Amino acid sequence: MHFLIRTLLLCVIWLIALQASALDIDPEREEELETLLYQDCGSCHGMTLKGGLGPALSRERMNLYTPDALANLILQGVPGTAMPRWKGLLSEQDAHWLADHLQNDTSLEH
């Protein structure tokens, strides 16, 4: 029984560490992703991300999704809409960084 609890605890710690490392992107890449967000995403969602062809990317709206769901939306796009797949240009780590940024950056409050 103790072995099972210890194994479960180690798995939880490993998953937490894995999630933390998923957002560990070097500062240069962070700048590139932020530029992509405001330039490329901004071409549809508005240069200030307050809406345009696509909806506003406010923190309130972005927090309706789980971080994984938002990263998946970024990577897979939304079929039947103007939201493209970014999977060929962004890694899963990049998509998770963007999701975290969209959900936690206070400058995106509306």
Side-chain angles (χ1 to χ4, degrees):
M1 183 66 158
H2 288 17
F3 175 77
L4 181 61
I5 292 172
R6 186 169 32 174
T7 302
L8 182 59
L9 182 60
L10 287 173
C11 287
V12 169
I13 292 170
W14 179 78
L15 286 172
I16 291 169
L18 183 63
Q19 180 68 22
S21 68
L23 298 178
D24 188 24
I25 294 180
D26 69 56
E28 185 176 315
R29 183 62 178 155
E30 285 183 9
E31 285 183 37
E32 292 169 355
L33 290 171
E34 195 163 15
T35 298
L36 177 127
L37 178 63
Y38 286 98
Q39 297 297 315
D40 294 276
C41 301
S43 67
C44 285
H45 295 281
M47 298 307 282
T48 59
L49 306 181
K50 293 182 181 180
L53 172 65
L57 301 182
S58 66
R59 276 183 46 187
E60 180 181 39
R61 183 180 179 87
M62 296 298 96
N63 281 301
L64 295 175
Y65 300 93
T66 66
D68 287 338
L70 186 54
N72 188 57
L73 188 147
I74 293 166
L75 290 172
Q76 300 304 323
V78 180
T81 72
M83 178 64 186
R85 290 181 55 158
W86 288 91
K87 189 173 186 174
L89 299 171
L90 297 174
S91 68
E92 285 191 35
Q93 186 179 28
D94 291 340
H96 278 92
W97 186 91
L98 286 166
D100 181 70
H101 187 77
L102 287 166
Q103 291 180 324
N104 296 301
D105 186 353
T106 56
S107 69
L108 297 175
E109 291 178 347
H110 297 271

